[in-house]
């Protein structure tokens, strides 16, 4: 997938190749398998795989699986699926756990060099001893243990002689460093937890900040690309690579992470939405996860175009989520077949149309792509229109159906409302109309004009369907001065609207992930989870129009 746009990462790589610093490029996408990927990860995937492709390099998919308490093979499989769906394939598949033996050896090396020690302080005490941004930390009382004592204790940690939390291994760097990350960070902890990849071989696990640079070095990664929140970790990254005496010495480069309006971009918070039942899973169509976007109907082409448009910068910013929707419309307008769907049905009986007769009308599949051809739609005495396409007492400039008014039915005839049928509660349940046979669409009729055109579905052959319309799951704060509460307080209670209606009969054989443009409603996708035999469910992808402009 060629991308001719430039950015500072590509410029760095170009300079490195031209200067001879590197003669090849290896990048990696290194997710932790502790949740599903979201749209921010998609930006990282596109960047890492994209720059490697641009320079004929390679990209590894590597799972940083150093915390078995939070990781699961389900997340591993979902991440693989997401990367493939976005249009990429990895040159190598690795796991951090593949390197646990090597990491252990490097930790022993640090102990032998006097650069690591076993600490008995608990997590709260370590946090207290670390100091603050304005005050230096203080040494642990266990910091000056001998090399021999540390080696013995570390081996006992590995052999399972201590309980969880009893001891940790810390790097010995500088407790007075202005960078808190260098104040003797924990590099190993005890966790008697079965690992999805290594089983029960280990009861100690490396911390992410220790494992990550070692993994990059083992794999010979030339450009370790990550988001800005890891910028302060770069000195530790370099310290570990240097003092663990790694042969390869990769460098870390940071870019601004993606933030979207009305969107949570945190796996921890997304997991909370799942665990507390605010959504029906990681792939809920309201979720910004790649699997959720896929199920809703977003396309990989649209996501790639969006990420390439927003670019790669050294600073973070907030992008209007409508920009992503714009690229979905641009991608689907030339792909999605047009059809008619009624989401809030109101029955119409055309009293002067012959009873028992059905005629078939021609309709274009996509007027912007004539080669997609035409489809046949039935028309008869009884049809459905949208409830909000009729008003008994309309305001001025209301051009849809009302008593005595005439409108055009898309692809069909003019009809005129003659009578309104109501139930005992006064609700409109049926309209009686007449049609003019001379006004058939495509007949060249010019006798008179109407200002309203309605979509419709013929009643006898209509296919019942469920429609799910969406609003943002998370509402942004109204102003910056608003007190920050739990993000759950901003969950939109009206984020999904479920409607029961009808689609044209040619839709009865659609398949999950088929996409359509419903006349006047927007783009919809056949839900891959809820659609079963005789029960069609359509997810609204995006509406037809937006005020957003590039």
């Amino acid at each position: 997938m060629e991308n001719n746009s430039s950015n500072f990462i590509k410029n760095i790589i170009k300079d490195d190749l031209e200067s001879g610093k590197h003669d090849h490029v290896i990048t990696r996408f290194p997710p932790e398998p502790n949740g599903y990927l979201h749209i921010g990860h998609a930006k990282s995937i596109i960047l890492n795989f994209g720059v490697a492709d641009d320079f004929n390099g390679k990209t590894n998919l590597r799972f940083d699986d150093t915390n078995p308490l939070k990781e699961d093979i389900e997340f591993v499989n979902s991440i693989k699926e997401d990367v493939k769906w976005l249009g990429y394939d990895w040159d190598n598949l690795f796991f951090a756990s593949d390197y646990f033996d090597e990491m252990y050896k490097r930790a022993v090396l640090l102990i032998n060099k006097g650069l690591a020690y076993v600490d008995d302080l608990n997590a709260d005490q370590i946090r207290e001893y670390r100091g603050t941004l304005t005050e230096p930390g203080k040494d642990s009382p266990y910091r000056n243990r001998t090399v021999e004592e540390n080696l013995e204790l570390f081996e006992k940690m590995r052999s399972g002689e201590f309980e969880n939390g009893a001891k940790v291994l810390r790097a010995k760097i500088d407790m007075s460093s202005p960078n808190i990350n260098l104040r003797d960070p924990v590099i190993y902890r005890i966790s008697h937890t079965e690992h999805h990849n290594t089983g029960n071989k280990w009861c100690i696990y490396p911390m992410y900040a220790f494992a990550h640079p070692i993994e990059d070095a083992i794999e010979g990664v030339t450009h370790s690309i990550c988001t800005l929140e890891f910028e302060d970790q770069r000195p530790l990254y370099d310290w570990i690579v240097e003092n663990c005496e790694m042969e390869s010495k990769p460098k870390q480069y940071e870019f601004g992470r993606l933030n979207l309006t009305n969107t949570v971009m945190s796996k921890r918070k997304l997991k909370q939405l799942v665990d507390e039942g605010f959504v029906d899973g990681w792939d809920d169509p309201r979720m910004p996860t790649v699997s959720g976007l896929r199920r809703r109907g977003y396309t990989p082409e649209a996501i790639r175009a969006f990420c390439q448009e927003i670019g790669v910068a050294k600073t973070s910013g907030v992008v209007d989520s409508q920009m992503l929707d714009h690229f979905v419309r641009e991608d689907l307008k030339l792909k999605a077949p047009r059809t008619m769907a009624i989401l809030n049905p109101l029955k119409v009986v055309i009293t002067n149309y012959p009873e028992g007769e059905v005629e078939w009308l021609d309709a274009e599949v996509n007027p912007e792509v004539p080669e997609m051809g035409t489809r046949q739609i039935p028309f008869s005495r009884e049809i459905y229109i949208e409830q909000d396409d009729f008003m008994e007492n309309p305001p001025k400039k209301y051009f849809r159906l009302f008593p005595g008014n005439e409108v055009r039915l898309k692809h069909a005839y003019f009809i005129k409302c003659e009578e309104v049928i109501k139930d005992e509660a006064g609700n409109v349940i049926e309209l009686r109309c007449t049609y003019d046979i001379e006004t058939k669409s495509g007949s060249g009729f010019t006798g008179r004009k109407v200002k309203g055109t309605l979509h419709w579905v013929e009643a006898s052959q209509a296919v019942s369907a469920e429609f799910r319309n969406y609003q943002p799951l998370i509402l942004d704060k109204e102003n910056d001065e608003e007190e920050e509460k739990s993000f759950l307080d901003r969950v939109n209670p009206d984020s999904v609207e479920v409607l029961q209606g009808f689609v044209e009969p040619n839709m009865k054989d659609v398949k999950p992930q088929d996409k359509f443009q419903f006349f006047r409603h927007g783009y919809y996708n056949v839900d891959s989870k809820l659609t079963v035999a005789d029960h069609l469910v359509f997810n609204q992808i995006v509406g037809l129009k937006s005020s957003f402009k590039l």
Side-chain angles (χ1 to χ4, degrees), residues 51-223:
V51 296
D53 288 345
D54 290 339
F55 294 98
N56 296 314
K58 295 181 178 181
T59 302
N60 299 333
L61 174 60
R62 183 182 71 232
F63 292 96
D64 273 329
D65 54 346
T66 59
N67 186 358
L69 280 173
K70 296 183 178 181
E71 297 159 0
D72 195 279
I73 194 65
E74 173 192 352
F75 302 136
V76 170
N77 291 333
S78 73
I79 290 168
K80 290 179 183 178
E81 182 181 5
D82 290 346
V83 173
K84 293 263 192 183
W85 179 76
L86 283 169
Y88 300 99
D89 199 359
W90 47 90
D91 291 278
N92 296 289
L93 176 64
F94 295 124
F95 292 84
S97 52
D98 295 337
Y99 313 132
F100 280 172
D101 287 292
E102 185 64 30
M103 292 174 191
Y104 182 83
K105 292 177 184 177
R106 301 293 169 165
V108 169
L109 173 64
L110 291 180
I111 294 173
N112 278 315
K113 294 170 70 171
L115 295 177
Y117 62 96
V118 175
D119 195 356
D120 293 5
L121 296 180
N122 62 37
D124 290 336
Q125 292 170 324
I126 290 174
R127 193 176 301 111
E128 179 185 347
Y129 274 58
R130 186 178 291 127
T132 66
L133 292 173
T134 57
E135 297 177 351
K138 59 182 181 180
D139 290 354
S140 165
Y142 307 98
R143 194 173 195 265
N144 294 318
R145 280 174 163 158
T146 65
V147 168
E148 293 73 22
E149 187 178 5
N150 284 318
L151 288 172
E152 180 183 356
L153 289 172
F154 192 45
E155 176 57 35
K156 287 183 177 180
M157 287 171 60
R158 178 183 182 178
S159 63
E161 295 186 31
F162 303 117
E163 296 179 355
N164 292 350
K167 298 182 188 299
V168 294
L169 182 70
R170 298 177 68 177
K172 186 187 286 189
I173 306 179
D174 183 0
M175 288 303 294
S176 63
S177 173
N179 186 337
I180 290 181
N181 294 294
L182 296 179
R183 295 182 188 174
D184 291 11
V186 174
I187 58 176
Y188 262 90
R189 80 288 209 186
I190 301 170
S191 181
H192 292 272
T193 307
E194 184 173 352
H195 190 282
H196 73 90
N197 201 25
T198 60
N200 292 308
K201 178 180 177 180
W202 296 90
C203 63
I204 58 170
Y205 293 96
M207 301 298 289
Y208 174 86
F210 177 70
H212 189 73
I214 292 177
E215 296 157 29
D216 281 349
I218 291 172
E219 295 172 16
V221 170
T222 58
H223 299 83

Side-chain angles (χ1 to χ4, degrees), residues 358-498:
V358 176
E359 64 176 304
W360 292 85
L361 307 174
D362 286 328
E364 67 273 15
V365 173
N366 187 330
E368 296 190 54
V369 189
E371 54 268 31
M372 291 180 73
T374 61
R375 70 188 192 279
Q376 291 274 294
I377 52 177
F379 183 80
S380 72
R381 179 183 174 89
E382 295 185 359
I383 64 173
Y384 294 112
I385 66 170
E386 295 288 353
Q387 289 186 17
D388 59 7
D389 278 344
F390 171 80
M391 290 187 72
E392 193 169 14
N393 298 295
K396 290 182 179 180
K397 296 186 177 181
Y398 181 85
F399 300 123
R400 301 176 195 175
L401 204 56
F402 56 86
N405 191 44
E406 193 173 42
V407 298
R408 173 182 287 283
L409 296 178
K410 180 75 171 173
H411 304 303
Y413 301 93
F414 289 9
I415 62 169
K416 183 178 181 180
C417 181
E418 308 285 0
E419 184 182 359
V420 179
I421 308 299
K422 301 180 181 180
D423 62 15
E424 294 180 356
N427 300 308
V428 176
I429 58 172
E430 186 180 298
L431 303 178
R432 301 285 173 87
C433 298
T434 55
Y435 88 117
D436 185 341
I437 193 171
E438 295 184 357
T439 61
K440 185 175 182 178
S441 181
S443 65
F445 175 80
T446 57
R448 60 188 181 280
K449 294 183 179 180
V450 292
K451 293 184 177 181
T453 298
L454 307 186
H455 63 286
W456 54 277
V457 171
E458 194 271 335
S460 69
Q461 298 185 50
V463 176
S464 62
E466 180 179 301
F467 305 91
R468 292 175 170 248
N469 291 339
Y470 297 105
Q471 297 295 329
L473 177 61
I474 304 294
L475 300 174
D476 284 346
K477 293 183 294 183
E478 292 184 2
N479 58 70
D480 292 336
E481 297 178 358
E482 182 180 336
E483 182 182 355
E484 179 61 47
K485 300 178 182 178
S486 165
F487 84 99
L488 295 177
D489 294 333
R490 295 189 282 121
V491 172
N492 181 5
D494 301 316
S495 60
V496 60
E497 176 189 31
V498 180

Side-chain angles (χ1 to χ4, degrees), residues 297-311 319-335 523 541-542 546 548-550:
Y298 285 62
T299 63
E301 294 85 357
I303 293 173
R304 291 199 303 267
F306 165 72
C307 289
Q308 288 164 3
E309 177 66 29
I310 61 177
V319 178
D320 191 333
S321 58
Q322 292 185 77
M323 184 177 179
L324 176 57
D325 293 346
H326 164 80
F327 281 99
V328 176
R329 290 187 193 91
E330 287 297 299
D331 184 53
L332 290 179
K333 70 179 181 180
L334 300 181
K335 294 179 180 178
Y523 293 95
I541 310 171
V542 290
S546 170
F548 179 83
K549 295 187 185 306
L550 282 176

Side-chain angles (χ1 to χ4, degrees), residues 7-9 12 228 231 254-257 312-317:
N7 57 63
F8 79 97
I9 297 287
I12 289 171
L228 275 174
E231 185 176 21
E254 306 89 14
F255 68 95
R257 65 178 294 167
V312 180
K314 293 183 179 181
T315 57
S316 295

